Amino acid sequence: MATKTITFDPDSGVPYGLNLTMYGGSDFAVNINVKTTSNGNFDLTDYSGSAAMSKSVAVGATLGITSSFTVGFTSAYDGQMKISLGSTDTRGTTEGRYMYDILVSSGSTTYTLANGNIYVYNPVSSAP
C-alpha cells in the first residue's frame, strides 16, 4: 500500500496534484499524510471525506463519476487518511486514464485536498 505525503494550504484554494496507479482486479489503497505549509500535521478531526474518479475521454472531458472511493481517517488529528477500492470494484474498471479528487468537509466548508490522474492497468493474464 502506497503512502503519499501532501502539503495543503486552505488559504490558497489549490489542491495538491498527485498522480496514482491502480491495477484491475487488485485491492487499491493509498495512505495520505496531510501536512500544513509549515510541515505540521493538518488536523482533520472535525472533517468528513469523499473521493471519486471519472474516466477521462479527452483533455478536460470526463464521463461522470465512475467509482467512489472509501475514505477513512486513520488518525484525523495527525492528518492521516486512506482512500481505497476493493478488488471487486477495480476488476470492473476498464484500462485507461481517469481523473480523481479528494474532498474534505467541515460544516459548510469544503476543500479539495488533492486531485490528479489515476492510470488503471488491467492484467494480461491471471495466475492459475
Side-chain angles (χ1 to χ4, degrees), residues 1 3 17 25 27 34-35 37 51 55 60 63 70-71 87 90 104 112 114 119 128:
M1 176 180 340
T3 299
D27 289 334
V34 185
K35 300 288 187 180
T37 55
K55 178 76 171 162
L63 290 176
T70 299
V71 177
S87 61
T90 65
V104 291
T112 303
Y119 196 85

Side-chain angles (χ1 to χ4, degrees), residues 6 23 58 60 79 87 113:
I6 66 171
Y23 294 92
S87 61
L113 280 183

Side-chain angles (χ1 to χ4, degrees), residues 19-28 53 55 85-98 117-126:
N19 293 328
L20 304 170
T21 302
M22 178 186 298
Y23 294 92
S26 299
D27 289 334
F28 171 81
M53 71 178 196
K55 178 76 171 162
L85 275 176
S87 61
T88 302
D89 293 316
T90 65
R91 186 174 296 113
T93 305
T94 58
E95 186 168 304
R97 185 171 67 93
Y98 292 74
N117 297 309
I118 296 181
Y119 196 85
V120 176
Y121 293 95
N122 284 326
V124 175
S125 60
S126 59

Side-chain angles (χ1 to χ4, degrees), residues 22-55:
M22 178 186 298
Y23 294 92
S26 299
D27 289 334
F28 171 81
V30 177
N31 288 317
I32 299 172
N33 297 324
V34 185
K35 300 288 187 180
T36 65
T37 55
S38 60
N39 206 33
N41 297 325
F42 190 87
D43 186 356
L44 294 165
T45 301
D46 294 326
Y47 288 86
S48 61
S50 64
M53 71 178 196
S54 60
K55 178 76 171 162

Side-chain angles (χ1 to χ4, degrees), residues 57-77:
V57 292
V59 176
T62 61
L63 290 176
I65 293 177
T66 306
S67 295
S68 293
F69 296 96
T70 299
V71 177
F73 296 98
T74 53
S75 179
Y77 178 76

